Amino acid sequence: MRKVAVIMGSTSDLPVAEKAIQTLKEYGIETEVRVLSAHRCPNEAREFAASARESGFSCIIALAGMAAHLAGAMAATLPVIGVPCSGAKLDGMDALLSTVQMPSGIPVATVAIDGAKNAAILAVQIMAVSDEGLAHKLQAARDEGTAAVLKADEELRERYKN
Ligand code: RP5
């Protein structure tokens, strides 16, 4: 099975990145975690992106805050999922716009501000297209979510019935 790369622009993004790392672990996906800044070490970031496919990755999750160019810089050949990180003065709006507003032809699938768990689930969904086992695990998680909401609904209806 191919790996997923979790790349962050700074170790200050690690608390957000850990949500993705944990979710990928729950699905049994091998993960490589790196700190590579599009601004502070552009050469190393570019090299990683250029060789990611031949290094055995399926897709790249890129997390960055502020003027967040990391996800765009990672967009070479593999699908890139961008996670805009909050924590700076603009609450992540700067990172959201920097990550999502890619030019035509160079996509970055951008999730919500600090949405690292969804980034991991999207990575699993990409891999599940050609992996039945992962597809079943994803469906089981969806079924659990449905059951939890229906249980909560039943409890509320019972508590507030006239
Ligand atoms: C971005 O700048 C990083 O992704 C981080 O979110 C933000 C601040 O970085 P540090 O100054 O905390 O290293 O490049």
Side-chain angles (χ1 to χ4, degrees), residues 5-162:
V6 177
I7 316 289
M8 66 205 85
S10 165
T11 52
S12 63
D13 302 320
L14 188 55
V16 178
E18 272 171 348
K19 292 186 274 181
I21 297 164
Q22 175 60 32
T23 301
L24 291 165
K25 195 174 172 192
E26 285 165 14
Y27 281 93
I29 298 197
E30 192 183 338
T31 306
E32 191 170 315
V33 181
R34 302 282 302 270
V35 184
L36 287 171
S37 169
H39 300 126
R40 292 169 174 152
C41 57
N43 294 337
E44 287 79 2
R46 195 176 306 117
E47 272 167 32
F48 182 90
S51 60
R53 186 183 173 81
E54 66 197 43
S55 301
F57 293 102
S58 58
C59 57
I60 298 170
I61 296 174
L63 307 95
M66 301 178 76
H69 297 127
L70 182 62
M74 285 289 131
T77 52
L78 293 179
V80 174
I81 304 165
V83 184
C85 294
S86 64
K89 288 199 165 68
L90 299 176
D91 287 337
M93 280 305 293
D94 44 0
L96 172 64
L97 296 177
S98 304
T99 305
V100 77
Q101 289 286 39
M102 289 295 291
S104 179
I106 315 290
V108 165
T110 305
V111 295
I113 296 168
D114 294 339
K117 179 171 179 170
N118 268 3
I121 293 171
L122 183 53
V124 177
Q125 287 176 324
I126 290 168
M127 296 177 75
V129 169
S130 57
D131 187 317
E132 282 291 316
L134 281 181
H136 284 301
K137 281 187 191 171
L138 283 165
Q139 189 56 52
R142 289 282 169 113
D143 292 345
E144 266 180 39
T146 301
V149 172
L150 295 181
K151 183 167 177 282
D153 176 53
E154 186 64 35
E155 284 167 4
L156 285 191
R157 287 169 64 188
E158 183 63 28
R159 192 193 307 173
Y160 293 106
K161 78 179 172 198
N162 295 316

